[in-house]
Amino acid sequence: MREPRDRSSHSGGRPDRTVRGRASPASEKPVIIQGAVPPRETLLEFIAENPDRASKREIAKAFGLKGETRVELKDLLRTLEEEGLLTKTRKSLARPGALPPVTVLDITTRDKDGELIGRPAEWAEELGAAPAVLIRQPSGDRGKAKTPAAGLNDRVLAKIFPNKDRTGPAYTARVIKIIDKRRGASLGVVQSLANGEIRLMPIERRGEEMVIERADIGEAKDGDLVETEVVRSGRFGLPRARVLSVIGSVGSEKAISMIAIYAHGIPHIFPKAVLDEADAARPATMAKREDWRDVPLVTIDPADAKDHDDAVYAEPDPSPDNPDGVIVTVAIADVSWYVRPGAPLDREALKRGNSVYFPDRVVPMLPERISNDLCSLREGEDRPAIAVRMVFSKEGRKAGHTFHRVMMKSAAKLSYQQAQAAIDGRPDDKTGPLTEPILKPLWHAYSILKRGRDRRQPLELDMPERKIVLKPDGTVDRVFVPERLDAHRLIEEMMIQANVAAAETLEKKRQPLVYRVHDTPALSKQEALREFLATIGIPMAKGGQLRANSFNGILARALDTPHQTMVNEMVLRSQSQAIYSPENIGHFGLNLMKYAHFTSPIRRYADLIVHRALVGSLGLGDGAITPDEEAQLDDIAAEISTFERRAMAAERDTINRLIAHHLSTRIGEEFEGRVAGVTKAGLFVSLPTYGADGFIPISTLGNDYFIYDEAHQALSGERTGLGYQLGDTVDVRLVEAIPLAGALQFEMLSEGKKLPTAIRSFHKSGRSGRSGRAKPGTRPPRSGRRR
């Protein structure tokens, strides 16, 4: 990844109509006085029922507020935020748990009246069941564009409305467009039992087994991953399923990632029209291009990279007005030349949203003919690019930048390790001649850019990502944390600056675009973090004006203490979700006011949109953004934000399944772990060596009455005062591994620790156990059983 991964934080569910423990029945609505700030209950109800009119400006307009009353409204809204009764969304305010105004839905079932019911395509498991949404079907042409007629098992982009009649689902929806026609199939693995019965074993943690009659098994064999449909489900006995298609054997290579691909509905087979268009593509011409083939740009990527979408070069600024300054050039593959709006390649790229990376494969956004050939900045080959030249002062301040449509020729393909070794005095035959003229100027430029970064102070979380290396048979060989090199940081910072330059240029041209935005943490999350930090003696300032460096101060205080990992985890959890949006609210984590993804158009659709916007606004030739595309940016942003979360969930599920399979032969072994999550149901324990989580049910922790304390992220025994807190290092025994579901279950071996006085006194005050208490239990047997 070229930029730091953004924390995802989801919200959804039915709007809560209870305020301060008192219901607000619709029949008792207070009288609204135009020109006066409405009562709290009226304001909350208005926001819940009018999500598309919930910005501060629209609220003031709806209630006729002007002058001082607008200031009063602002103060009231801030108070409701601090109390956790409102949260900030991309453009407005919302009730906690409310769906956004535009959402991607999967239509999964019908209600008793035969109406279609959908649910959000991606949903965080910790939020519980995803809310149901009633799909409004079109009723004739009213002079406007026809609403698409969606069907069962379709994936759709929909406009969301609260269900005001208070019956049935919490929401209704109008379909904006159909994204994908999906079959009503569930996934599972065929398993033949000793008694001759055939079962379908679930691949989801909460799935249930089903029976398959021999007449319904088709060509499936024992161990095959299959798509099925339920043919009978009653009150007694297991449901019965029919095999629709065979995906492949789970014993084959790449089977684990294929489960995630099918489970998340990730398109992975290119239609013939798309492949035909890619095969027919020819190398770009020099029309409206500058000839930069003599500029010694180099690509620096992972050693196993097959596509190269960025190249860099740096040199001293010869201008006497910028002493000791530098010029940094970033060239990005010109995908917009080949992928034109509305063409089959473009429609399929939008359908995918981004490339998806698994340990054993990549599901690309574009066919290999485009991604690995025509658009890949191969060493020694002519390739079209869009480049930005950025001038920086010696203090790391940007003095200006210009964009160019060019033809380039990469001077060298280098790996991160190869480039770093050359700078560290260990050049090889390839990097030896490049070190003085190319690599050292790049590192000098990075030292200057780093001064600007240090002054900007983006959020600096220390959350290393683990890499899984597989054997030829697709099983896990080893898990390790790659070393973080200056070569990685150099490319990352240069890409960030190029992204900033793209956003600044397009905003100056008043050109619609898709920004990458990251909102400030919600006040309710800030308060939860503040309460947690108080238990370990780290203060956190109150108020809603925190900046990224405020969190850096917290992280610095936790550095080299037993709480370091725990504090990093809690700060990460407090962050909002980064998304794509045509409305700019800045990027909190990077501490930037203008930011748009520009540097990876081979693997992200958002970057392709920005390229087209640059081509159009700067008059750089063919492949510009179209008026129709500009009009759809809200919808496109919602779709690609959802597809990004889909990709992350699929990658995470695959890693969980691979690690569960890897550990399935080690039942009964002991491991050192870290408490990575605390819930009222038990503890999630992470194994740092493997980067995988397992669960310990609260009923197995020991003979005490355990109390769940959400504010302090702890489970503590009421009688003994001993317990477990987020970040604790513990010894556990593996009692169960379910590879297909990616589930591990542990037995706790470590005795609970004496929790801080603040937590114990918090319990005695009667404010603990906000989400309920747990029952005492005993340790589980040494051999596990299916949960």
Side-chain angles (χ1 to χ4, degrees):
M1 299 294 287
R2 296 301 192 174
E3 295 89 27
R5 277 210 171 181
D6 302 305
R7 168 66 177 166
S8 291
S9 171
H10 307 268
S11 63
R14 182 162 188 157
D16 183 359
R17 293 175 52 80
T18 302
V19 181
R20 287 190 171 180
R22 185 176 68 254
S24 299
S27 60
E28 298 179 8
K29 290 183 179 180
V31 177
I32 299 175
I33 302 174
Q34 285 291 304
V37 176
R40 295 160 56 96
E41 291 83 353
T42 304
L43 187 57
L44 290 169
E45 185 172 343
F46 176 85
I47 291 170
E49 295 182 352
N50 300 276
D52 55 341
R53 298 172 59 201
S55 67
K56 293 176 183 177
R57 178 181 297 178
E58 288 291 338
I59 295 170
K61 183 178 177 181
F63 291 100
L65 305 183
K66 298 179 181 179
E68 287 299 318
T69 53
R70 280 181 174 250
V71 177
E72 292 179 39
L73 173 67
K74 186 176 179 181
D75 290 341
L76 177 55
L77 292 172
R78 183 184 297 114
T79 299
L80 294 172
E81 271 193 84
E82 290 173 350
E83 293 177 6
L85 296 173
L86 287 179
T87 59
K88 278 201 295 188
T89 65
R90 177 159 53 102
K91 294 192 288 185
S92 60
L93 296 160
R95 296 303 311 275
L99 285 177
V102 178
T103 302
V104 176
L105 302 174
D106 285 335
I107 302 177
T108 56
T109 187
R110 293 182 184 272
D111 64 13
K112 62 183 180 181
D113 298 319
E115 300 288 346
L116 293 173
I117 301 295
R119 295 185 186 275
E122 294 295 331
W123 191 253
E125 187 174 295
E126 60 267 21
L127 294 175
V133 182
L134 177 67
I135 307 298
R136 296 179 182 173
Q137 291 289 46
S139 55
D141 188 358
R142 299 178 181 175
K144 301 180 181 179
K146 291 185 178 180
T147 300
L152 196 62
N153 305 309
D154 287 352
R155 172 165 285 183
V156 301
L157 183 72
K159 181 75 173 177
I160 304 296
F161 305 91
N163 191 355
K164 295 185 178 182
D165 65 10
R166 307 303 173 194
T167 61
Y171 298 96
T172 64
R174 175 176 56 81
V175 175
I176 298 172
K177 75 176 193 177
I178 298 172
I179 298 172
D180 194 12
K181 293 278 187 182
R182 305 183 68 203
R183 299 177 64 181
S186 59
L187 294 177
V189 174
V190 175
Q191 185 175 93
S192 298
L193 304 184
N195 63 3
E197 193 175 43
I198 303 172
R199 294 283 180 90
L200 181 76
M201 309 306 292
I203 62 167
E204 299 295 336
R205 297 190 186 204
R206 296 182 178 180
E208 61 177 331
E209 295 179 21
M210 290 190 274
V211 174
I212 304 175
E213 300 288 355
R214 291 200 172 274
D216 294 327
I217 196 170
E219 298 179 359
K221 301 182 296 295
D222 187 49
D224 279 350
L225 175 66
V226 296
E227 286 185 308
T228 66
E229 64 178 354
V230 177
V231 293
R232 188 164 70 253
S233 181
R235 294 179 59 188
F236 305 104
L238 293 175
R240 298 187 179 275
R242 176 189 297 122
V243 173
L244 297 174
S245 65
V246 179
I247 297 169
S249 170
V250 292
S252 65
E253 293 182 34
K254 301 188 176 182
I256 298 297
S257 58
M258 187 57 73
I259 292 175
I261 288 169
Y262 274 84
H264 290 275
I266 295 173
H268 67 288
I269 298 174
F270 286 107
K272 184 177 183 300
V274 175
L275 294 176
D276 288 346
E277 185 184 0
D279 291 340
R282 293 293 175 262
T285 67
M286 287 296 299
K288 287 202 170 185
R289 291 189 189 277
E290 301 174 40
D291 191 343
W292 281 26
R293 285 174 286 189
D294 291 335
V295 179
L297 291 147
V298 297
T299 62
I300 304 177
D301 290 293
D304 57 354
K306 294 182 180 179
D307 55 58
H308 308 278
D309 50 11
D310 57 80
V312 292
Y313 175 67
E315 59 188 324
D317 184 3
S319 172
D321 297 330
N322 187 26
D324 299 321
V326 294
I327 300 174
V328 175
T329 299
V330 174
I332 305 299
D334 188 359
V335 179
S336 62
W337 175 264
Y338 295 101
V339 183
R340 301 296 176 88
L345 273 170
D346 178 55
R347 292 196 300 271
E348 183 67 17
L350 176 56
K351 185 178 175 181
R352 296 177 179 226
N354 48 254
S355 298
V356 187
Y357 294 85
F358 298 104
D360 60 348
R361 73 169 77 201
V362 176
V363 179
M365 185 178 79
L366 298 168
E368 286 191 9
R369 167 68 172 157
I370 302 296
S371 61
N372 292 1
D373 184 5
L374 293 176
C375 284
S376 185
L377 306 182
R378 292 178 173 179
E379 179 180 335
E381 298 186 23
D382 291 359
R383 286 293 181 266
I386 295 180
V388 57
R389 296 178 80 248
M390 299 173 286
V391 180
F392 294 90
S393 71
K394 64 181 179 181
E395 292 85 15
R397 301 182 189 277
K398 190 172 69 174
H401 66 265
T402 55
F403 279 90
H404 310 260
R405 204 172 199 183
V406 306
M407 186 68 73
M408 61 161 283
K409 182 185 292 184
S410 170
K413 168 191 170 182
L414 304 176
S415 70
Y416 289 115
Q417 292 75 15
Q418 196 176 14
Q420 188 68 55
I423 289 296
D424 293 342
R426 303 187 309 278
D428 57 22
D429 291 343
K430 188 171 189 176
T431 56
L434 302 174
T435 302
E436 289 296 330
I438 296 177
L439 294 181
K440 285 191 175 179
L442 277 171
W443 255 258
H444 172 64
Y446 168 59
S447 70
I448 287 177
L449 265 61
K450 189 174 181 299
R451 293 170 194 163
R453 180 185 177 92
D454 291 344
R455 184 170 53 251
R456 190 175 84 239
Q457 293 190 34
L459 181 59
E460 301 282 6
L461 281 166
D462 181 19
M463 303 296 293
E465 292 190 22
R466 285 162 179 79
K467 183 176 177 65
I468 294 180
V469 178
L470 301 180
K471 300 175 184 176
D473 65 358
T475 59
V476 175
D477 181 23
R478 61 193 176 96
V479 183
F480 71 101
V481 177
E483 183 182 3
R484 178 84 165 144
L485 304 172
D486 277 344
H488 294 102
R489 299 183 180 94
L490 178 151
I491 294 298
E492 178 183 289
E493 191 58 30
M494 289 183 177
M495 297 305 112
I496 288 173
Q497 292 300 329
N499 288 337
V500 171
E504 290 176 344
T505 294
L506 293 174
E507 194 166 287
K508 186 176 181 179
K509 291 286 186 179
R510 299 184 182 276
Q511 167 65 50
L513 72 147
V514 172
Y515 293 91
R516 180 63 166 179
V517 298
H518 183 215
D519 205 352
T520 56
L523 290 174
S524 57
K525 289 190 174 183
Q526 290 184 35
E527 189 59 35
L529 177 62
R530 184 180 298 106
E531 290 182 359
F532 167 75
L533 292 173
T535 69
I536 57 175
I538 297 180
M540 176 178 167
K542 265 200 167 185
Q545 302 302 315
L546 286 179
R547 299 174 65 88
N549 60 5
S550 304
F551 290 98
N552 289 339
I554 292 168
L555 297 172
R557 295 197 58 160
L559 188 65
D560 297 327
T561 73
H563 307 298
Q564 179 176 345
T565 302
M566 174 172 50
V567 171
N568 271 270
E569 181 72 32
M570 288 299 292
V571 169
L572 177 63
R573 293 183 183 194
S574 72
Q575 301 304 301
S576 299
Q577 171 195 350
I579 60 172
Y580 294 107
S581 169
E583 300 291 333
N584 185 28
I585 61 170
H587 197 294
F588 176 81
L590 293 175
N591 201 9
L592 292 167
M593 291 302 298
K594 300 179 181 70
Y595 193 67
H597 276 168
F598 157 74
T599 54
S600 295
I602 289 177
R603 63 183 178 88
R604 291 188 307 223
Y605 195 83
D607 304 56
L608 177 56
I609 291 288
V610 169
H611 275 238
R612 290 171 176 166
L614 287 167
V615 169
S617 63
L618 298 176
L620 298 179
D622 295 338
I625 193 169
T626 65
D628 284 347
E629 201 170 15
E630 291 177 351
Q632 296 173 20
L633 287 183
D634 262 315
D635 297 348
I636 290 172
E639 287 183 58
I640 60 180
S641 295
T642 296
F643 297 157
E644 179 186 44
R645 293 194 295 274
R646 175 181 70 183
M648 293 174 66
E651 292 166 7
R652 183 178 61 248
D653 288 353
T654 298
I655 290 173
N656 287 341
R657 289 187 176 104
L658 283 169
I659 296 301
H661 185 272
H662 182 56
L663 296 178
S664 62
T665 60
R666 302 178 64 178
I667 302 298
E669 291 191 28
E670 297 179 12
F671 300 88
E672 183 178 89
R674 179 177 59 82
V675 176
V678 183
T679 73
K680 63 181 178 181
L683 302 171
F684 286 95
V685 174
S686 173
L687 303 183
T689 305
Y690 300 98
D693 287 346
F695 189 65
I696 302 178
I698 196 170
S699 61
T700 69
L701 282 177
N703 295 314
D704 202 343
Y705 196 85
F706 282 88
I707 301 170
Y708 171 50
D709 187 338
E710 183 181 10
H712 301 90
Q713 290 294 292
L715 286 177
S716 60
E718 187 176 53
R719 176 174 54 82
T720 64
L722 301 177
Y724 306 91
Q725 191 174 17
L726 185 74
D728 286 352
T729 298
V730 294
D731 293 323
V732 297
R733 178 181 290 117
L734 180 62
V735 297
E736 184 178 30
I738 310 174
L740 290 177
L744 301 173
Q745 184 169 318
F746 296 124
E747 171 189 356
M748 178 65 76
L749 300 178
S750 297
E751 294 295 332
K753 69 178 184 181
K754 201 74 174 178
L755 292 172
T757 304
I759 295 179
R760 298 198 301 275
S761 61
F762 193 78
H763 290 165
K764 292 177 182 178
S765 71
R767 294 185 290 162
S768 61
R770 189 162 53 143
S771 296
R773 296 185 174 188
K775 296 178 181 180
T778 56
R779 296 191 187 278
R782 295 191 179 228
S783 61
R785 62 181 185 277
R786 183 179 300 277
R787 285 188 286 116

